[in-house]
Amino acid sequence: MSQDLVSVIMPTFNAGRFLSSSIDSILAQTYTNLELVISDDGSTDPTTISTLKYYATKDPRVKVKFLEKNCGPGFARNEAIERAQGRYIAFCDSDDRWFPDKLEKQLALMLARDCALVCSSYIICDDNDKETGINMAPPRISFQMLKRDNKIGCSTAMYDIQKLGQKFFMPDLRKRQDWGLFLTIIKKCRMAYGIEFPLAYYRNRKKSVSSNKLSLVKYNIRVYEKVLGFSKIKAYLYFLFLFLPTYYIKVQKRKMDSRKYLENKIIPLAQ
């Protein structure tokens, strides 16, 4: 493990035209001691493949591995985590982008709070880079908060292997595996911290893995069963009476925050 090196984990699968801007936003970080560890999850898109080969040749910090078949983003992320050499593990999806000072600000927060898991707020945009809203990260996230609903945007998350004593990997789930990972981490470190100002752009694509919220219901329940060890009955009850109300409140707050942000370009501080 290389001290102070940040390993940025990126799964790719037919990312196409969004991939270059995502990679560029990582390589342009003000904190330069990083490696970008990419696992391509069986892409068939020539643009994705050629883009990855170009960046691997252009910058030695970019380390690409092409997987033989598509196994899902969780598997691809775990393969990249396995190869990561850094003390810190950060995540960025291949259609999202970072602000230039994301890593610098998050590392400063980790030092100031002496914590092992951080995230930030993020701006939501569409396929044409039009800003459509904002998601505010709570300044503090406890295990009990995270059990009710995922409060951490994957492309804003970073954890410290040294403080945790080991690497943490995504659970074996096709979807919602990022929430499962953060639950596992926060059980050990007890508290995560969020930066209230946005440090990333999240692309809300119509055909993305997470775009169909209804299809995610069974995966939310699977997180309770597989990650937290709940019985099927307890998982369904927790989902119905704790997850759904919390998620509804989060959606309403996001709408209010987004309206304020888009009308005035003012970032509402988390309450």
Side-chain angles (χ1 to χ4, degrees), residues 105-106 108-121 137-142 145 151-153 156-159 163 185-186 189-196 199:
K105 286 187 174 180
Q106 288 191 309
L109 175 63
M110 293 181 111
L111 180 63
R113 291 289 188 179
D114 191 27
C115 63
L117 177 62
V118 295
C119 63
S120 77
S121 301
R140 296 186 181 190
I141 305 168
S142 68
M145 289 172 62
K151 305 290 191 294
I152 300 175
T156 75
M158 181 163 65
Y159 74 82
K163 280 195 173 299
I185 292 174
I186 208 168
C189 68
R190 295 182 176 273
M191 187 72 69
Y193 291 86
I195 294 177
E196 297 170 309
L199 295 177

PDB file of all heavy atoms in Angstrom, residues 105-106 108-121 137-142 145 151-153 156-159 163 185-186 189-196 199:
ATOM      1  N   LYS A 105     -10.094  18.532  -1.180  1.00  0.00           N
ATOM      2  CA  LYS A 105     -11.004  18.922  -0.104  1.00  0.00           C
ATOM      3  C   LYS A 105     -11.401  17.728   0.756  1.00  0.00           C
ATOM      4  O   LYS A 105     -11.523  17.847   1.979  1.00  0.00           O
ATOM      5  CB  LYS A 105     -12.247  19.588  -0.699  1.00  0.00           C
ATOM      6  CG  LYS A 105     -11.990  21.000  -1.211  1.00  0.00           C
ATOM      7  CD  LYS A 105     -13.264  21.689  -1.637  1.00  0.00           C
ATOM      8  CE  LYS A 105     -12.980  23.149  -1.997  1.00  0.00           C
ATOM      9  NZ  LYS A 105     -14.206  23.864  -2.433  1.00  0.00           N
ATOM     10  N   GLN A 106     -11.581  16.572   0.141  1.00  0.00           N
ATOM     11  CA  GLN A 106     -11.984  15.412   0.928  1.00  0.00           C
ATOM     12  C   GLN A 106     -10.845  14.895   1.798  1.00  0.00           C
ATOM     13  O   GLN A 106     -11.074  14.466   2.935  1.00  0.00           O
ATOM     14  CB  GLN A 106     -12.504  14.317   0.003  1.00  0.00           C
ATOM     15  CG  GLN A 106     -13.866  14.662  -0.589  1.00  0.00           C
ATOM     16  CD  GLN A 106     -14.508  13.478  -1.282  1.00  0.00           C
ATOM     17  OE1 GLN A 106     -13.885  12.825  -2.126  1.00  0.00           O
ATOM     18  NE2 GLN A 106     -15.761  13.205  -0.956  1.00  0.00           N
ATOM     19  N   ALA A 108      -8.556  16.772   3.072  1.00  0.00           N
ATOM     20  CA  ALA A 108      -8.466  17.746   4.163  1.00  0.00           C
ATOM     21  C   ALA A 108      -9.523  17.463   5.227  1.00  0.00           C
ATOM     22  O   ALA A 108      -9.256  17.569   6.432  1.00  0.00           O
ATOM     23  CB  ALA A 108      -8.634  19.163   3.611  1.00  0.00           C
ATOM     24  N   LEU A 109     -10.729  17.075   4.790  1.00  0.00           N
ATOM     25  CA  LEU A 109     -11.785  16.731   5.739  1.00  0.00           C
ATOM     26  C   LEU A 109     -11.426  15.483   6.532  1.00  0.00           C
ATOM     27  O   LEU A 109     -11.638  15.426   7.751  1.00  0.00           O
ATOM     28  CB  LEU A 109     -13.105  16.518   4.998  1.00  0.00           C
ATOM     29  CG  LEU A 109     -14.289  16.045   5.842  1.00  0.00           C
ATOM     30  CD1 LEU A 109     -14.659  17.090   6.889  1.00  0.00           C
ATOM     31  CD2 LEU A 109     -15.490  15.722   4.956  1.00  0.00           C
ATOM     32  N   MET A 110     -10.863  14.477   5.858  1.00  0.00           N
ATOM     33  CA  MET A 110     -10.469  13.251   6.554  1.00  0.00           C
ATOM     34  C   MET A 110      -9.425  13.538   7.624  1.00  0.00           C
ATOM     35  O   MET A 110      -9.467  12.969   8.724  1.00  0.00           O
ATOM     36  CB  MET A 110      -9.940  12.224   5.549  1.00  0.00           C
ATOM     37  CG  MET A 110     -10.996  11.693   4.597  1.00  0.00           C
ATOM     38  SD  MET A 110     -10.335  10.465   3.442  1.00  0.00           S
ATOM     39  CE  MET A 110     -11.150   8.983   4.052  1.00  0.00           C
ATOM     40  N   LEU A 111      -8.503  14.432   7.312  1.00  0.00           N
ATOM     41  CA  LEU A 111      -7.470  14.806   8.276  1.00  0.00           C
ATOM     42  C   LEU A 111      -8.076  15.585   9.442  1.00  0.00           C
ATOM     43  O   LEU A 111      -7.767  15.320  10.610  1.00  0.00           O
ATOM     44  CB  LEU A 111      -6.389  15.637   7.590  1.00  0.00           C
ATOM     45  CG  LEU A 111      -5.227  16.109   8.463  1.00  0.00           C
ATOM     46  CD1 LEU A 111      -4.445  14.915   9.008  1.00  0.00           C
ATOM     47  CD2 LEU A 111      -4.295  17.024   7.658  1.00  0.00           C
ATOM     48  N   ALA A 112      -8.965  16.527   9.112  1.00  0.00           N
ATOM     49  CA  ALA A 112      -9.555  17.368  10.157  1.00  0.00           C
ATOM     50  C   ALA A 112     -10.463  16.562  11.083  1.00  0.00           C
ATOM     51  O   ALA A 112     -10.491  16.792  12.303  1.00  0.00           O
ATOM     52  CB  ALA A 112     -10.337  18.514   9.519  1.00  0.00           C
ATOM     53  N   ARG A 113     -11.198  15.606  10.542  1.00  0.00           N
ATOM     54  CA  ARG A 113     -12.159  14.821  11.324  1.00  0.00           C
ATOM     55  C   ARG A 113     -11.575  13.499  11.820  1.00  0.00           C
ATOM     56  O   ARG A 113     -12.232  12.792  12.594  1.00  0.00           O
ATOM     57  CB  ARG A 113     -13.397  14.529  10.469  1.00  0.00           C
ATOM     58  CG  ARG A 113     -14.252  15.749  10.170  1.00  0.00           C
ATOM     59  CD  ARG A 113     -14.965  16.207  11.417  1.00  0.00           C
ATOM     60  NE  ARG A 113     -15.937  17.250  11.138  1.00  0.00           N
ATOM     61  CZ  ARG A 113     -16.706  17.808  12.064  1.00  0.00           C
ATOM     62  NH1 ARG A 113     -16.590  17.412  13.320  1.00  0.00           N
ATOM     63  NH2 ARG A 113     -17.576  18.746  11.753  1.00  0.00           N
ATOM     64  N   ASP A 114     -10.389  13.177  11.353  1.00  0.00           N
ATOM     65  CA  ASP A 114      -9.765  11.896  11.709  1.00  0.00           C
ATOM     66  C   ASP A 114     -10.737  10.746  11.419  1.00  0.00           C
ATOM     67  O   ASP A 114     -11.002   9.891  12.269  1.00  0.00           O
ATOM     68  CB  ASP A 114      -9.362  11.886  13.176  1.00  0.00           C
ATOM     69  CG  ASP A 114      -8.472  10.690  13.514  1.00  0.00           C
ATOM     70  OD1 ASP A 114      -7.769  10.199  12.616  1.00  0.00           O
ATOM     71  OD2 ASP A 114      -8.500  10.245  14.679  1.00  0.00           O
ATOM     72  N   CYS A 115     -11.271  10.750  10.193  1.00  0.00           N
ATOM     73  CA  CYS A 115     -12.320   9.793   9.841  1.00  0.00           C
ATOM     74  C   CYS A 115     -11.873   8.913   8.671  1.00  0.00           C
ATOM     75  O   CYS A 115     -10.881   9.190   7.992  1.00  0.00           O
ATOM     76  CB  CYS A 115     -13.613  10.509   9.487  1.00  0.00           C
ATOM     77  SG  CYS A 115     -13.499  11.583   8.035  1.00  0.00           S
ATOM     78  N   ALA A 116     -12.643   7.850   8.432  1.00  0.00           N
ATOM     79  CA  ALA A 116     -12.257   6.853   7.428  1.00  0.00           C
ATOM     80  C   ALA A 116     -13.158   6.827   6.209  1.00  0.00           C
ATOM     81  O   ALA A 116     -12.836   6.164   5.227  1.00  0.00           O
ATOM     82  CB  ALA A 116     -12.245   5.464   8.065  1.00  0.00           C
ATOM     83  N   LEU A 117     -14.291   7.541   6.237  1.00  0.00           N
ATOM     84  CA  LEU A 117     -15.234   7.526   5.116  1.00  0.00           C
ATOM     85  C   LEU A 117     -15.839   8.904   4.930  1.00  0.00           C
ATOM     86  O   LEU A 117     -16.394   9.483   5.869  1.00  0.00           O
ATOM     87  CB  LEU A 117     -16.347   6.498   5.379  1.00  0.00           C
ATOM     88  CG  LEU A 117     -17.474   6.396   4.338  1.00  0.00           C
ATOM     89  CD1 LEU A 117     -16.929   5.965   2.983  1.00  0.00           C
ATOM     90  CD2 LEU A 117     -18.550   5.413   4.814  1.00  0.00           C
ATOM     91  N   VAL A 118     -15.711   9.440   3.705  1.00  0.00           N
ATOM     92  CA  VAL A 118     -16.262  10.761   3.406  1.00  0.00           C
ATOM     93  C   VAL A 118     -17.019  10.726   2.082  1.00  0.00           C
ATOM     94  O   VAL A 118     -16.832   9.829   1.260  1.00  0.00           O
ATOM     95  CB  VAL A 118     -15.164  11.849   3.333  1.00  0.00           C
ATOM     96  CG1 VAL A 118     -14.490  12.043   4.676  1.00  0.00           C
ATOM     97  CG2 VAL A 118     -14.135  11.521   2.247  1.00  0.00           C
ATOM     98  N   CYS A 119     -17.871  11.734   1.908  1.00  0.00           N
ATOM     99  CA  CYS A 119     -18.601  11.905   0.654  1.00  0.00           C
ATOM    100  C   CYS A 119     -18.852  13.397   0.469  1.00  0.00           C
ATOM    101  O   CYS A 119     -18.345  14.218   1.234  1.00  0.00           O
ATOM    102  CB  CYS A 119     -19.913  11.112   0.672  1.00  0.00           C
ATOM    103  SG  CYS A 119     -21.083  11.661   1.937  1.00  0.00           S
ATOM    104  N   SER A 120     -19.642  13.751  -0.526  1.00  0.00           N
ATOM    105  CA  SER A 120     -19.962  15.159  -0.736  1.00  0.00           C
ATOM    106  C   SER A 120     -21.315  15.283  -1.419  1.00  0.00           C
ATOM    107  O   SER A 120     -21.893  14.298  -1.894  1.00  0.00           O
ATOM    108  CB  SER A 120     -18.890  15.841  -1.593  1.00  0.00           C
ATOM    109  OG  SER A 120     -19.042  15.501  -2.963  1.00  0.00           O
ATOM    110  N   SER A 121     -21.805  16.501  -1.485  1.00  0.00           N
ATOM    111  CA  SER A 121     -22.970  16.796  -2.311  1.00  0.00           C
ATOM    112  C   SER A 121     -22.573  16.673  -3.772  1.00  0.00           C
ATOM    113  O   SER A 121     -21.382  16.672  -4.119  1.00  0.00           O
ATOM    114  CB  SER A 121     -23.478  18.205  -2.015  1.00  0.00           C
ATOM    115  OG  SER A 121     -23.818  18.343  -0.650  1.00  0.00           O
ATOM    116  N   ALA A 137     -25.401  16.318   0.605  1.00  0.00           N
ATOM    117  CA  ALA A 137     -24.887  15.303   1.535  1.00  0.00           C
ATOM    118  C   ALA A 137     -25.054  15.794   2.969  1.00  0.00           C
ATOM    119  O   ALA A 137     -24.736  16.946   3.273  1.00  0.00           O
ATOM    120  CB  ALA A 137     -23.417  15.026   1.260  1.00  0.00           C
ATOM    121  N   PRO A 138     -25.553  14.942   3.873  1.00  0.00           N
ATOM    122  CA  PRO A 138     -25.586  15.336   5.294  1.00  0.00           C
ATOM    123  C   PRO A 138     -24.165  15.544   5.807  1.00  0.00           C
ATOM    124  O   PRO A 138     -23.241  14.849   5.383  1.00  0.00           O
ATOM    125  CB  PRO A 138     -26.245  14.127   5.971  1.00  0.00           C
ATOM    126  CG  PRO A 138     -26.943  13.377   4.877  1.00  0.00           C
ATOM    127  CD  PRO A 138     -26.112  13.609   3.647  1.00  0.00           C
ATOM    128  N   PRO A 139     -23.965  16.489   6.715  1.00  0.00           N
ATOM    129  CA  PRO A 139     -22.611  16.708   7.249  1.00  0.00           C
ATOM    130  C   PRO A 139     -22.087  15.521   8.047  1.00  0.00           C
ATOM    131  O   PRO A 139     -20.887  15.295   8.100  1.00  0.00           O
ATOM    132  CB  PRO A 139     -22.767  17.952   8.135  1.00  0.00           C
ATOM    133  CG  PRO A 139     -24.224  18.059   8.412  1.00  0.00           C
ATOM    134  CD  PRO A 139     -24.925  17.480   7.240  1.00  0.00           C
ATOM    135  N   ARG A 140     -23.017  14.750   8.654  1.00  0.00           N
ATOM    136  CA  ARG A 140     -22.634  13.545   9.384  1.00  0.00           C
ATOM    137  C   ARG A 140     -23.615  12.431   9.036  1.00  0.00           C
ATOM    138  O   ARG A 140     -24.816  12.671   8.931  1.00  0.00           O
ATOM    139  CB  ARG A 140     -22.645  13.773  10.896  1.00  0.00           C
ATOM    140  CG  ARG A 140     -21.627  14.792  11.374  1.00  0.00           C
ATOM    141  CD  ARG A 140     -21.595  14.844  12.884  1.00  0.00           C
ATOM    142  NE  ARG A 140     -20.630  15.829  13.367  1.00  0.00           N
ATOM    143  CZ  ARG A 140     -20.263  15.957  14.639  1.00  0.00           C
ATOM    144  NH1 ARG A 140     -20.805  15.148  15.555  1.00  0.00           N
ATOM    145  NH2 ARG A 140     -19.386  16.859  14.999  1.00  0.00           N
ATOM    146  N   ILE A 141     -23.086  11.224   8.875  1.00  0.00           N
ATOM    147  CA  ILE A 141     -23.922  10.077   8.523  1.00  0.00           C
ATOM    148  C   ILE A 141     -23.571   8.931   9.465  1.00  0.00           C
ATOM    149  O   ILE A 141     -22.443   8.437   9.461  1.00  0.00           O
ATOM    150  CB  ILE A 141     -23.692   9.640   7.068  1.00  0.00           C
ATOM    151  CG1 ILE A 141     -23.919  10.812   6.108  1.00  0.00           C
ATOM    152  CG2 ILE A 141     -24.611   8.469   6.705  1.00  0.00           C
ATOM    153  CD1 ILE A 141     -23.448  10.541   4.696  1.00  0.00           C
ATOM    154  N   SER A 142     -24.544   8.517  10.251  1.00  0.00           N
ATOM    155  CA  SER A 142     -24.341   7.412  11.178  1.00  0.00           C
ATOM    156  C   SER A 142     -24.813   6.105  10.543  1.00  0.00           C
ATOM    157  O   SER A 142     -25.489   6.093   9.505  1.00  0.00           O
ATOM    158  CB  SER A 142     -25.114   7.654  12.479  1.00  0.00           C
ATOM    159  OG  SER A 142     -26.521   7.585  12.224  1.00  0.00           O
ATOM    160  N   MET A 145     -28.594   6.048  10.335  1.00  0.00           N
ATOM    161  CA  MET A 145     -29.089   6.851   9.214  1.00  0.00           C
ATOM    162  C   MET A 145     -28.950   6.092   7.897  1.00  0.00           C
ATOM    163  O   MET A 145     -29.859   6.064   7.070  1.00  0.00           O
ATOM    164  CB  MET A 145     -28.328   8.179   9.133  1.00  0.00           C
ATOM    165  CG  MET A 145     -28.635   9.168  10.216  1.00  0.00           C
ATOM    166  SD  MET A 145     -27.512  10.599  10.160  1.00  0.00           S
ATOM    167  CE  MET A 145     -27.913  11.285   8.540  1.00  0.00           C
ATOM    168  N   LYS A 151     -27.291   7.451   1.860  1.00  0.00           N
ATOM    169  CA  LYS A 151     -27.061   8.896   1.873  1.00  0.00           C
ATOM    170  C   LYS A 151     -25.793   9.284   1.118  1.00  0.00           C
ATOM    171  O   LYS A 151     -25.445  10.459   1.075  1.00  0.00           O
ATOM    172  CB  LYS A 151     -26.929   9.386   3.327  1.00  0.00           C
ATOM    173  CG  LYS A 151     -28.088   9.027   4.252  1.00  0.00           C
ATOM    174  CD  LYS A 151     -29.330   9.804   3.891  1.00  0.00           C
ATOM    175  CE  LYS A 151     -30.409   9.660   4.961  1.00  0.00           C
ATOM    176  NZ  LYS A 151     -30.945   8.290   5.070  1.00  0.00           N
ATOM    177  N   ILE A 152     -25.091   8.299   0.545  1.00  0.00           N
ATOM    178  CA  ILE A 152     -23.767   8.538  -0.029  1.00  0.00           C
ATOM    179  C   ILE A 152     -23.793   8.296  -1.538  1.00  0.00           C
ATOM    180  O   ILE A 152     -24.083   7.187  -1.988  1.00  0.00           O
ATOM    181  CB  ILE A 152     -22.713   7.631   0.631  1.00  0.00           C
ATOM    182  CG1 ILE A 152     -22.653   7.907   2.141  1.00  0.00           C
ATOM    183  CG2 ILE A 152     -21.342   7.824  -0.015  1.00  0.00           C
ATOM    184  CD1 ILE A 152     -21.730   6.974   2.898  1.00  0.00           C
ATOM    185  N   GLY A 153     -23.501   9.319  -2.311  1.00  0.00           N
ATOM    186  CA  GLY A 153     -23.370   9.154  -3.753  1.00  0.00           C
ATOM    187  C   GLY A 153     -22.068   8.435  -4.067  1.00  0.00           C
ATOM    188  O   GLY A 153     -20.992   8.869  -3.629  1.00  0.00           O
ATOM    189  N   THR A 156     -18.947  10.178  -5.172  1.00  0.00           N
ATOM    190  CA  THR A 156     -18.372  11.152  -4.237  1.00  0.00           C
ATOM    191  C   THR A 156     -17.676  10.480  -3.056  1.00  0.00           C
ATOM    192  O   THR A 156     -17.084  11.157  -2.224  1.00  0.00           O
ATOM    193  CB  THR A 156     -19.448  12.096  -3.668  1.00  0.00           C
ATOM    194  OG1 THR A 156     -20.239  11.408  -2.677  1.00  0.00           O
ATOM    195  CG2 THR A 156     -20.372  12.608  -4.769  1.00  0.00           C
ATOM    196  N   ALA A 157     -17.731   9.159  -2.969  1.00  0.00           N
ATOM    197  CA  ALA A 157     -17.259   8.450  -1.768  1.00  0.00           C
ATOM    198  C   ALA A 157     -15.757   8.166  -1.814  1.00  0.00           C
ATOM    199  O   ALA A 157     -15.180   7.911  -2.872  1.00  0.00           O
ATOM    200  CB  ALA A 157     -18.020   7.141  -1.606  1.00  0.00           C
ATOM    201  N   MET A 158     -15.144   8.180  -0.634  1.00  0.00           N
ATOM    202  CA  MET A 158     -13.743   7.787  -0.500  1.00  0.00           C
ATOM    203  C   MET A 158     -13.518   7.215   0.905  1.00  0.00           C
ATOM    204  O   MET A 158     -14.035   7.748   1.882  1.00  0.00           O
ATOM    205  CB  MET A 158     -12.807   8.968  -0.730  1.00  0.00           C
ATOM    206  CG  MET A 158     -11.320   8.614  -0.625  1.00  0.00           C
ATOM    207  SD  MET A 158     -10.227   9.859  -1.353  1.00  0.00           S
ATOM    208  CE  MET A 158     -10.538  11.258  -0.277  1.00  0.00           C
ATOM    209  N   TYR A 159     -12.764   6.112   0.986  1.00  0.00           N
ATOM    210  CA  TYR A 159     -12.459   5.538   2.298  1.00  0.00           C
ATOM    211  C   TYR A 159     -10.965   5.301   2.461  1.00  0.00           C
ATOM    212  O   TYR A 159     -10.215   5.215   1.492  1.00  0.00           O
ATOM    213  CB  TYR A 159     -13.283   4.280   2.566  1.00  0.00           C
ATOM    214  CG  TYR A 159     -12.903   3.007   1.830  1.00  0.00           C
ATOM    215  CD1 TYR A 159     -11.866   2.189   2.289  1.00  0.00           C
ATOM    216  CD2 TYR A 159     -13.616   2.580   0.708  1.00  0.00           C
ATOM    217  CE1 TYR A 159     -11.543   1.000   1.648  1.00  0.00           C
ATOM    218  CE2 TYR A 159     -13.305   1.388   0.056  1.00  0.00           C
ATOM    219  CZ  TYR A 159     -12.269   0.608   0.527  1.00  0.00           C
ATOM    220  OH  TYR A 159     -11.945  -0.577  -0.109  1.00  0.00           O
ATOM    221  N   LYS A 163      -6.900   3.378   8.066  1.00  0.00           N
ATOM    222  CA  LYS A 163      -7.712   3.566   9.268  1.00  0.00           C
ATOM    223  C   LYS A 163      -8.638   2.382   9.517  1.00  0.00           C
ATOM    224  O   LYS A 163      -8.900   2.027  10.669  1.00  0.00           O
ATOM    225  CB  LYS A 163      -8.514   4.865   9.172  1.00  0.00           C
ATOM    226  CG  LYS A 163      -7.714   6.112   9.498  1.00  0.00           C
ATOM    227  CD  LYS A 163      -8.617   7.287   9.742  1.00  0.00           C
ATOM    228  CE  LYS A 163      -7.812   8.481  10.228  1.00  0.00           C
ATOM    229  NZ  LYS A 163      -7.123   8.178  11.509  1.00  0.00           N
ATOM    230  N   ILE A 185     -18.723  -0.608   5.752  1.00  0.00           N
ATOM    231  CA  ILE A 185     -17.656   0.270   6.237  1.00  0.00           C
ATOM    232  C   ILE A 185     -18.089   1.040   7.477  1.00  0.00           C
ATOM    233  O   ILE A 185     -17.370   1.121   8.477  1.00  0.00           O
ATOM    234  CB  ILE A 185     -17.203   1.244   5.129  1.00  0.00           C
ATOM    235  CG1 ILE A 185     -16.502   0.480   3.999  1.00  0.00           C
ATOM    236  CG2 ILE A 185     -16.261   2.306   5.697  1.00  0.00           C
ATOM    237  CD1 ILE A 185     -16.139   1.337   2.805  1.00  0.00           C
ATOM    238  N   ILE A 186     -19.308   1.610   7.415  1.00  0.00           N
ATOM    239  CA  ILE A 186     -19.737   2.495   8.503  1.00  0.00           C
ATOM    240  C   ILE A 186     -20.036   1.711   9.783  1.00  0.00           C
ATOM    241  O   ILE A 186     -19.992   2.268  10.880  1.00  0.00           O
ATOM    242  CB  ILE A 186     -20.943   3.345   8.056  1.00  0.00           C
ATOM    243  CG1 ILE A 186     -20.974   4.679   8.830  1.00  0.00           C
ATOM    244  CG2 ILE A 186     -22.253   2.598   8.215  1.00  0.00           C
ATOM    245  CD1 ILE A 186     -21.943   5.684   8.271  1.00  0.00           C
ATOM    246  N   CYS A 189     -16.465   2.026  11.200  1.00  0.00           N
ATOM    247  CA  CYS A 189     -15.948   3.357  11.561  1.00  0.00           C
ATOM    248  C   CYS A 189     -16.982   4.226  12.278  1.00  0.00           C
ATOM    249  O   CYS A 189     -16.648   5.299  12.765  1.00  0.00           O
ATOM    250  CB  CYS A 189     -15.411   4.072  10.321  1.00  0.00           C
ATOM    251  SG  CYS A 189     -16.658   4.542   9.107  1.00  0.00           S
ATOM    252  N   ARG A 190     -18.240   3.791  12.293  1.00  0.00           N
ATOM    253  CA  ARG A 190     -19.321   4.401  13.068  1.00  0.00           C
ATOM    254  C   ARG A 190     -19.871   5.699  12.483  1.00  0.00           C
ATOM    255  O   ARG A 190     -21.062   5.999  12.632  1.00  0.00           O
ATOM    256  CB  ARG A 190     -18.907   4.645  14.530  1.00  0.00           C
ATOM    257  CG  ARG A 190     -18.632   3.375  15.298  1.00  0.00           C
ATOM    258  CD  ARG A 190     -18.281   3.668  16.747  1.00  0.00           C
ATOM    259  NE  ARG A 190     -18.119   2.439  17.502  1.00  0.00           N
ATOM    260  CZ  ARG A 190     -19.106   1.789  18.089  1.00  0.00           C
ATOM    261  NH1 ARG A 190     -20.337   2.253  18.007  1.00  0.00           N
ATOM    262  NH2 ARG A 190     -18.888   0.680  18.760  1.00  0.00           N
ATOM    263  N   MET A 191     -19.047   6.499  11.838  1.00  0.00           N
ATOM    264  CA  MET A 191     -19.529   7.789  11.342  1.00  0.00           C
ATOM    265  C   MET A 191     -18.831   8.151  10.041  1.00  0.00           C
ATOM    266  O   MET A 191     -17.616   8.004   9.915  1.00  0.00           O
ATOM    267  CB  MET A 191     -19.278   8.883  12.379  1.00  0.00           C
ATOM    268  CG  MET A 191     -19.895  10.231  12.043  1.00  0.00           C
ATOM    269  SD  MET A 191     -21.705  10.237  12.206  1.00  0.00           S
ATOM    270  CE  MET A 191     -21.874  10.075  13.990  1.00  0.00           C
ATOM    271  N   ALA A 192     -19.619   8.612   9.069  1.00  0.00           N
ATOM    272  CA  ALA A 192     -19.068   9.177   7.837  1.00  0.00           C
ATOM    273  C   ALA A 192     -19.356  10.670   7.835  1.00  0.00           C
ATOM    274  O   ALA A 192     -20.295  11.140   8.500  1.00  0.00           O
ATOM    275  CB  ALA A 192     -19.685   8.504   6.618  1.00  0.00           C
ATOM    276  N   TYR A 193     -18.570  11.413   7.079  1.00  0.00           N
ATOM    277  CA  TYR A 193     -18.736  12.861   7.032  1.00  0.00           C
ATOM    278  C   TYR A 193     -18.929  13.310   5.586  1.00  0.00           C
ATOM    279  O   TYR A 193     -18.301  12.785   4.668  1.00  0.00           O
ATOM    280  CB  TYR A 193     -17.523  13.571   7.643  1.00  0.00           C
ATOM    281  CG  TYR A 193     -17.431  13.370   9.130  1.00  0.00           C
ATOM    282  CD1 TYR A 193     -16.797  12.253   9.668  1.00  0.00           C
ATOM    283  CD2 TYR A 193     -18.009  14.288  10.010  1.00  0.00           C
ATOM    284  CE1 TYR A 193     -16.726  12.060  11.042  1.00  0.00           C
ATOM    285  CE2 TYR A 193     -17.935  14.101  11.384  1.00  0.00           C
ATOM    286  CZ  TYR A 193     -17.298  12.985  11.893  1.00  0.00           C
ATOM    287  OH  TYR A 193     -17.239  12.787  13.256  1.00  0.00           O
ATOM    288  N   GLY A 194     -19.820  14.284   5.413  1.00  0.00           N
ATOM    289  CA  GLY A 194     -20.108  14.787   4.081  1.00  0.00           C
ATOM    290  C   GLY A 194     -19.745  16.250   3.941  1.00  0.00           C
ATOM    291  O   GLY A 194     -19.881  17.029   4.890  1.00  0.00           O
ATOM    292  N   ILE A 195     -19.290  16.626   2.766  1.00  0.00           N
ATOM    293  CA  ILE A 195     -19.031  18.030   2.436  1.00  0.00           C
ATOM    294  C   ILE A 195     -20.290  18.594   1.798  1.00  0.00           C
ATOM    295  O   ILE A 195     -20.826  18.025   0.841  1.00  0.00           O
ATOM    296  CB  ILE A 195     -17.824  18.157   1.490  1.00  0.00           C
ATOM    297  CG1 ILE A 195     -16.551  17.725   2.221  1.00  0.00           C
ATOM    298  CG2 ILE A 195     -17.683  19.590   0.976  1.00  0.00           C
ATOM    299  CD1 ILE A 195     -15.305  17.730   1.356  1.00  0.00           C
ATOM    300  N   GLU A 196     -20.775  19.696   2.334  1.00  0.00           N
ATOM    301  CA  GLU A 196     -22.069  20.225   1.912  1.00  0.00           C
ATOM    302  C   GLU A 196     -22.047  20.856   0.519  1.00  0.00           C
ATOM    303  O   GLU A 196     -23.099  20.978  -0.108  1.00  0.00           O
ATOM    304  CB  GLU A 196     -22.568  21.231   2.947  1.00  0.00           C
ATOM    305  CG  GLU A 196     -22.821  20.596   4.310  1.00  0.00           C
ATOM    306  CD  GLU A 196     -23.074  21.617   5.400  1.00  0.00           C
ATOM    307  OE1 GLU A 196     -22.250  22.543   5.530  1.00  0.00           O
ATOM    308  OE2 GLU A 196     -24.077  21.491   6.107  1.00  0.00           O
ATOM    309  N   LEU A 199     -19.044  18.431  -5.136  1.00  0.00           N
ATOM    310  CA  LEU A 199     -17.698  18.190  -5.662  1.00  0.00           C
ATOM    311  C   LEU A 199     -17.733  17.248  -6.858  1.00  0.00           C
ATOM    312  O   LEU A 199     -16.686  16.819  -7.331  1.00  0.00           O
ATOM    313  CB  LEU A 199     -16.795  17.616  -4.568  1.00  0.00           C
ATOM    314  CG  LEU A 199     -16.496  18.537  -3.370  1.00  0.00           C
ATOM    315  CD1 LEU A 199     -15.660  17.800  -2.331  1.00  0.00           C
ATOM    316  CD2 LEU A 199     -15.797  19.806  -3.834  1.00  0.00           C
TER     317      LEU A 199
END
